[in-house]
Amino acid sequence: MIETFETVAKAIADPNRVRILKLLECGELCVCQITAVLDLAPATVSKHLAMLKTAGLLQQRRDGKWVYYRRADRDLNPYAPRFLALVGASLADDPTTANDRRVLAMVNAVPLRTLCDQGRSAFTTKE
Amino acid sequence: MIETFETVAKAIADPNRVRILKLLECGELCVCQITAVLDLAPATVSKHLAMLKTAGLLQQRRDGKWVYYRRADRDLNPYAPRFLALVGASLADDPTTANDRRVLAMVNAVPLRTLCDQGRSAFTTKE
DNA sequence: GTATCACTTTCCATTTTGACGAAATGATGC
DNA sequence: GCATCATTTCGTCAAAATGGAAAGTGATAC
């Protein structure tokens, strides 16, 4: 019980994982899109996503080569919904959150193929 | 902002600190009482309490030699109330929480002086 | 004043975490 | 079959977290 609680609490206790949760409030995203916004190594993002999934906060869906993550709708962890609600009610006016959303808009403007090929430079070097 | 959030989230992400928060739902407690229930070194408990206080989850009060901690009533951290509510709504039927409350009852049955002198043995070796 | 007591701070050892590159996986497309 | 591509797992490292013993603080009692 308390171990289950701990798993979710620890999952929330990292700023990059919270950024991921805030991003996914706008809808599901592919790993390469999340990677582009966070500006971290793919391996790092993948591990964060795995932890959030283990904590029951996220669910996974594969579509061809791409893997999409979204906020969990079924509750695999009894504490997950409460934590998701808490994150949802927090950081609405946080600068990092706001900036991530701005970057996400640029990411969304680029086709997935281009994004995977060129990574961040697909939109940062776009005058 | 997100750093402030992170501070509280990290404070919650340790089982012993959650145990402390659950204990303090019953009312304020002296450090030696908390130490007796958790069965950890005083230095360790003190450090956990300091972290919870820094996170804005707890407040402190000195009464003579004794220092009492209680859940924060003023919000020093904007996210603290939400986290306190979340913990309050969780782990009601957790075995660790239940056992801690049982031990707390025994601790409360012993005068503070005796408890500080003898520590845990003040009630564990009471046939 | 000094001694004592409850607690806190300062180390230090051990464990855990977060990050990345390199190699492995698993699906697509030829 | 094989090559390619998005993602994951593995191995490694530095940084952070946990726990406790020892020293330090600050209040009480004499």
Side-chain angles (χ1 to χ4, degrees):
Chain A
M1 290 247 77
I2 204 169
E3 303 82 13
T4 318
F5 184 91
E6 195 189 342
T7 307
V8 203
K10 279 205 200 308
I12 294 280
D14 174 88
N16 286 326
R17 286 194 290 271
V18 173
R19 288 172 70 195
I20 292 175
L21 291 176
K22 293 305 285 180
L23 276 176
L24 293 176
E25 284 174 16
C26 308
E28 70 169 12
L29 290 170
C30 165
V31 177
C32 64
Q33 296 175 302
I34 300 171
T35 305
V37 175
L38 296 193
D39 202 17
L40 291 171
T44 307
V45 174
S46 184
K47 209 165 41 165
H48 281 314
L49 289 167
M51 289 176 74
L52 289 165
K53 193 188 156 202
T54 303
L57 293 164
L58 297 187
Q59 281 174 265
Q60 213 181 14
R61 172 178 78 85
R62 185 178 261 279
D63 181 17
K65 297 187 200 174
W66 290 281
V67 177
Y68 289 85
Y69 281 87
R70 67 174 179 285
R71 281 155 42 105
D73 31 48
R74 293 177 300 150
D75 51 323
L76 311 146
N77 183 314
Y79 304 109
R82 281 180 195 145
F83 276 92
L84 281 175
L86 193 153
V87 173
S90 305
L91 298 164
D93 53 348
D94 172 64
T96 307
T97 305
N99 191 63
D100 283 351
R101 271 197 239 273
R102 257 193 304 280
V103 177
L104 178 60
M106 295 196 283
V107 166
N108 278 328
V110 176
L112 266 192
R113 287 294 288 276
T114 318
L115 186 66
C116 290
D117 283 359
Q118 307 170 18
R120 267 210 145 208
S121 61
F123 55 92
T124 48
T125 330
K126 192 199 245 177
E127 42 62 69
Chain B
M1 289 247 81
I2 202 169
E3 304 80 14
T4 318
F5 184 91
E6 195 189 343
T7 307
V8 201
K10 278 204 201 307
I12 294 280
D14 175 89
N16 287 324
R17 286 193 291 269
V18 174
R19 289 172 69 195
I20 293 175
L21 289 176
K22 293 305 284 180
L23 277 177
L24 293 176
E25 284 173 17
C26 308
E28 69 169 13
L29 290 171
C30 166
V31 177
C32 64
Q33 296 175 302
I34 301 172
T35 304
V37 175
L38 297 193
D39 201 17
L40 292 171
T44 307
V45 174
S46 183
K47 220 179 346 179
H48 281 311
L49 289 167
M51 290 175 73
L52 289 166
K53 193 188 158 203
T54 303
L57 293 164
L58 296 187
Q59 280 174 266
Q60 213 182 16
R61 174 177 78 86
R62 184 179 261 277
D63 181 16
K65 298 187 200 173
W66 290 279
V67 177
Y68 288 86
Y69 281 88
R70 65 174 180 285
R71 282 154 42 103
D73 32 48
R74 293 177 301 150
D75 51 324
L76 310 147
N77 183 314
Y79 304 109
R82 280 179 195 145
F83 275 91
L84 282 175
L86 193 153
V87 173
S90 306
L91 299 164
D93 52 348
D94 171 64
T96 307
T97 305
N99 191 63
D100 283 351
R101 270 196 240 273
R102 255 191 305 279
V103 177
L104 179 59
M106 295 196 284
V107 166
N108 278 329
V110 177
L112 266 193
R113 287 294 288 274
T114 318
L115 185 65
C116 289
D117 283 358
Q118 305 170 18
R120 268 211 143 208
S121 61
F123 55 91
T124 48
T125 329
K126 193 198 250 179
E127 41 60 72

